Amino acid sequence: MKHIEDFLSRIADRFYKEKQIPYFPGLYRGKIGIAVFLCHYARWSKQEIYTDFAFDLIEEAQKQMKGKSPVNYPYGLSGMGTGIAYLIQNDYFGANPDEILEDFDNLLIKHTITFSDLSSFKQTIGIGRYFALRIKDSEKPDKIKEIIEKVVLLTELQLMRTPYCFPYALNLLYDLRDVSEKARKAFEENIKLFDSHCIKDDPWGWFNFFYKTQALFPEKWIEVNNSIVANALFQADAERIRLHSVTGNDIETALVQRAMEQALAKGDAGLFSGLSGLGLSLICSSDKNHLTWLGLI
């Protein structure tokens, strides 16, 4: 436990005391992802000062994106908005979501209404992930449901063009199945396409999806988990630590040190394989209540 506290303190100090904050505003490599880590760390360590700093980062990131309209999930508006909506819904700070997310709503709604290009499949999925969260606490659910139906339609059209299924598409359809009857039917149809050969193409995507749905598909969850471990499909140390934090396996100090060094060498402060994600995995290794952050990646 002590070495985990030490590593987490080093990561938090790098952001808060040393101000080693990347310019990027987004969820995966930028300020919003760091804010997610700091909010979890504040709750875990009972040091609310980190939540205050996280809110400052969110405000700075929003100012950076003012008047800009990249919508992609890792670096753009849909991911940023999802991260902010997640923090509000999980009570990391108090805010009216319809007010703080108004610009995100308007830009992403406008984009979805005019969007018909199936070549940007992941872009559509990212917008869907944002509105899947927003509909839970918005005072304008009917408008958001209209957008969700458009996202589901675009997702269905894309899935019809391929004999394969994709974990990020199934993940979205699963989340929307109680909102959209079309999403429920599309999910039930496309989950049938899963094959164990798919796992190597996106090991984390499949691990994360079947971890979330293990109550529905316990045998597939075991199959995916065993396949990933047996074939060493997680190459990065940060991914191995994330796996251990979910499955409850011990995390060796040397493994954490290597992951820290790799992130620092790459200048990666991000949520997926950088310092923020590493810190969140370490928090989860001692308190499983923080595993909710996995829904962001």
Side-chain angles (χ1 to χ4, degrees), residues 13-25:
D13 285 350
R14 183 172 178 82
F15 296 140
Y16 179 70
K17 293 182 179 179
E18 301 173 25
K19 300 297 187 291
Q20 296 294 317
I21 306 295
Y23 170 79
F24 312 108

Side-chain angles (χ1 to χ4, degrees), residues 154-204:
L154 290 170
T155 302
E156 282 185 296
L157 291 173
Q158 179 63 38
L159 291 174
M160 288 170 61
R161 301 170 64 187
T162 174
Y164 308 105
C165 57
F166 304 94
Y168 49 84
L170 285 176
N171 205 11
L172 176 64
L173 294 172
Y174 175 81
D175 287 342
L176 295 177
R177 71 197 189 286
D178 293 331
V179 178
S180 165
E181 180 65 14
K182 286 184 179 179
R184 184 188 64 78
K185 290 181 179 179
F187 173 77
E188 292 175 353
E189 191 63 32
N190 283 276
I191 189 63
K192 299 173 185 176
L193 299 176
F194 172 74
D195 184 275
S196 58
H197 293 97
C198 300
I199 300 171
K200 66 180 185 304
D201 296 328
D202 189 351
W204 172 254

Side-chain angles (χ1 to χ4, degrees), residues 212-272:
K212 182 167 74 173
T213 61
Q214 59 185 292
L216 286 177
F217 310 109
E219 293 180 358
K220 287 185 173 65
W221 157 242
I222 294 171
E223 176 186 359
V224 169
N225 191 18
N226 290 343
S227 178
I228 287 172
V229 173
N231 297 290
L233 295 181
F234 285 163
Q235 299 296 318
D237 287 331
E239 284 187 310
R240 296 191 187 98
I241 292 171
R242 197 186 309 147
L243 170 70
H244 293 332
S245 72
V246 173
T247 58
N249 293 336
D250 291 336
I251 301 174
E252 297 178 0
T253 301
L255 183 63
V256 181
Q257 184 61 48
R258 285 202 309 270
M260 284 274 291
E261 291 171 354
Q262 290 167 3
L264 291 171
K266 293 185 297 183
D268 187 354
L271 200 67
F272 195 81

Side-chain angles (χ1 to χ4, degrees), residues 68-237:
K68 300 178 182 178
S69 57
V71 302
N72 68 78
Y73 190 84
Y75 311 113
L77 293 171
S78 61
M80 290 176 62
T82 301
I84 296 169
Y86 166 82
L87 291 174
I88 295 172
Q89 289 183 13
N90 286 276
D91 298 321
Y92 284 100
F93 59 86
N96 183 320
D98 284 330
E99 292 180 3
I100 197 171
L101 294 166
E102 182 179 12
D103 288 344
F104 291 92
D105 288 349
N106 292 337
L107 284 167
L108 293 173
I109 286 173
K110 180 180 178 181
H111 183 86
T112 307
I113 288 173
T114 59
F115 188 58
S116 60
D117 181 7
L118 294 178
S119 65
S120 299
F121 189 30
K122 289 188 177 182
Q123 191 166 282
T124 303
I125 299 297
I127 294 172
R129 293 178 73 175
Y130 171 75
F131 285 114
L133 271 185
R134 283 290 289 123
I135 199 169
K136 295 179 181 179
D137 59 7
S138 175
E139 295 181 0
K140 48 184 179 183
D142 291 341
K143 181 63 176 177
I144 292 178
K145 191 173 187 303
E146 290 180 21
I147 300 303
I148 285 174
E149 294 295 352
K150 176 69 180 293
V151 168
V152 172
L153 174 61
L154 290 170
T155 302
E156 282 185 296
L157 291 173
Q158 179 63 38
L159 291 174
M160 288 170 61
R161 301 170 64 187
T162 174
Y164 308 105
C165 57
F166 304 94
Y168 49 84
L170 285 176
N171 205 11
L172 176 64
L173 294 172
Y174 175 81
D175 287 342
L176 295 177
R177 71 197 189 286
D178 293 331
V179 178
S180 165
E181 180 65 14
K182 286 184 179 179
R184 184 188 64 78
K185 290 181 179 179
F187 173 77
E188 292 175 353
E189 191 63 32
N190 283 276
I191 189 63
K192 299 173 185 176
L193 299 176
F194 172 74
D195 184 275
S196 58
H197 293 97
C198 300
I199 300 171
K200 66 180 185 304
D201 296 328
D202 189 351
W204 172 254
W206 288 115
F207 177 87
N208 202 23
F209 171 70
F210 282 116
Y211 167 71
K212 182 167 74 173
T213 61
Q214 59 185 292
L216 286 177
F217 310 109
E219 293 180 358
K220 287 185 173 65
W221 157 242
I222 294 171
E223 176 186 359
V224 169
N225 191 18
N226 290 343
S227 178
I228 287 172
V229 173
N231 297 290
L233 295 181
F234 285 163
Q235 299 296 318
D237 287 331

